[in-house]
Amino acid sequence: MESFFTAHDIEAAYGRLQVLWGVDLTLGRGEVAVLLGSNGAGKTTLLKALMGLRPLLKGEITLGGQRVERLRPDVRVQRGIHYMTELGVFPNLSVDENLQVGGFGLARAELRRRIRDLHETFPDLGRLHTASAASLSGGQRKMLAVAKAIVVPPRLLLMDEPSAGLSPRFVAEVVAVLRRLREDGPTMLIAEQNVKFLEIADRAYVLDGGRISFAGSVAELTADDAVRQAYFGVSGH
Ligand code: ATP
């Protein structure tokens, strides 16, 4: 598949502490990749670097064949790169106010139409559209975070640990939401520790101490002994 999004030789640091070394990623248009890695592996730093929220020591990033690594974060958003943080919503705003923030820049009528569409896609959000985000369940809040990230349809959606803080039932709900979202075709990079997200992925990367230690298909990943031991708690075949 022709590459749509690439990151090449990404390196980043906090002061003198370098946390990413020579990271390469490649995604085809519409592909979904999971970026696995334990706490502190550098997943959040990598997503921030891709978004322009952390400076690069070195590296190149392309989207649709165009270099973007020197663009400001807001310009990357305009190019279609959206970022869902671990929290993902403003708790003190209502559901619809969060969606309005997500749709910043859209014309009023278009924003209303998109919010109506999202109420249909996520019936819980439609039902609770005036409720504060803080009053939602963990799963609903994550749904809102996803909805907020796609009010303006992204070309590339970067997600930081959509399972964070969720019980297994809600994780399954979020995976179902992303499975449906896949059909609309945004390219997705999902940073996760939870292997359940591999169910909806085409490709997987493992980040280990700031370096990519595995890149390949999900089938290759699940066959890899070291990965099986680290993430599935089993060894051998
Ligand atoms: P987690 O799942 O815990 O968020 P992660 O894989 O996203 O982990 P990062 O948050 O990117 O990992 O952290 C990578 C490394 O950078 C860690 O060693 C962390 O301690 C360090 N680090 C992260 N943020 C800062 C910061 N603001 N200042 C200094 N060091 C940081």
Side-chain angles (χ1 to χ4, degrees), residues 34 36 194-201 203-204 218 221-222 232:
V34 169
L36 286 173
N194 190 321
V195 291
K196 190 158 174 59
F197 286 81
L198 294 172
E199 287 175 16
I200 56 162
R203 301 177 57 70
V218 171
L221 177 94
T222 48
F232 298 87

Side-chain angles (χ1 to χ4, degrees), residues 10 19 26 40 58 72 135-136 143 148 172 184 197 223 229 235:
I10 299 296
V19 298
T26 304
K58 64 189 277 208
R72 290 197 321 249
S135 71
L136 303 180
M143 250 176 241
K148 174 169 163 276
D184 293 336
F197 286 81
Q229 283 183 36
S235 58

Side-chain angles (χ1 to χ4, degrees), residues 2-227:
E2 201 188 326
S3 53
F4 173 64
F5 171 70
T6 66
H8 177 59
D9 206 13
I10 299 296
E11 311 225 324
Y14 294 96
R16 280 190 296 177
L17 176 70
Q18 184 163 348
V19 298
L20 294 175
W21 282 268
V23 172
D24 288 332
L25 305 171
T26 304
L27 284 172
R29 193 188 292 272
E31 265 194 324
V32 177
V34 169
L35 175 70
L36 286 173
S38 50
N39 281 334
K43 303 182 298 298
T44 300
T45 307
L46 178 56
L47 295 189
K48 285 185 174 168
L50 298 177
M51 200 63 225
L53 298 167
R54 283 303 308 168
L56 296 181
L57 293 177
K58 64 189 277 208
E60 293 168 11
I61 305 168
T62 67
L63 182 73
Q66 291 185 323
R67 297 277 288 269
V68 299
E69 76 273 2
R70 290 178 184 278
L71 302 179
R72 290 197 321 249
D74 58 319
V75 180
R76 291 187 213 198
V77 173
Q78 284 166 13
R79 295 281 180 96
I81 306 179
H82 295 189
Y83 175 43
M84 185 180 119
T85 61
E86 239 181 88
L87 181 59
V89 300
F90 295 107
N92 53 340
L93 297 184
S94 72
V95 167
D96 277 359
E97 286 164 347
N98 269 284
L99 296 177
Q100 285 159 11
V101 171
F104 180 78
L106 288 181
R108 229 169 223 270
E110 173 68 357
L111 179 61
R112 266 203 301 272
R113 192 181 64 75
R114 282 297 296 154
I115 291 180
R116 243 192 339 261
D117 287 351
L118 291 164
H119 288 167
E120 268 173 38
T121 311
F122 305 100
D124 277 7
L125 300 184
R127 195 164 48 78
L128 297 165
H129 70 109
T130 56
S132 82
S135 71
L136 303 180
S137 73
Q140 290 165 339
R141 211 173 306 156
K142 213 52 96 165
M143 250 176 241
L144 176 58
V146 173
K148 174 169 163 276
I150 63 171
V151 179
V152 178
R155 298 168 77 203
L156 172 68
L157 182 53
L158 307 173
M159 280 183 260
D160 199 357
E161 295 217 35
S163 79
L166 295 183
S167 66
R169 182 166 71 87
F170 288 139
V171 171
E173 250 178 55
V174 173
V175 170
V177 164
L178 297 184
R179 195 191 301 276
R180 270 188 285 141
L181 181 60
R182 241 192 97 107
E183 292 161 18
D184 293 336
T187 306
M188 292 191 246
L189 178 64
I190 309 170
E192 257 303 335
Q193 301 194 48
N194 190 321
V195 291
K196 190 158 174 59
F197 286 81
L198 294 172
E199 287 175 16
I200 56 162
D202 305 295
R203 301 177 57 70
Y205 292 93
V206 177
L207 194 59
D208 200 351
R211 292 183 166 83
I212 296 288
S213 62
F214 173 92
S217 69
V218 171
E220 286 163 346
L221 177 94
T222 48
D224 184 296
D225 264 346
V227 173

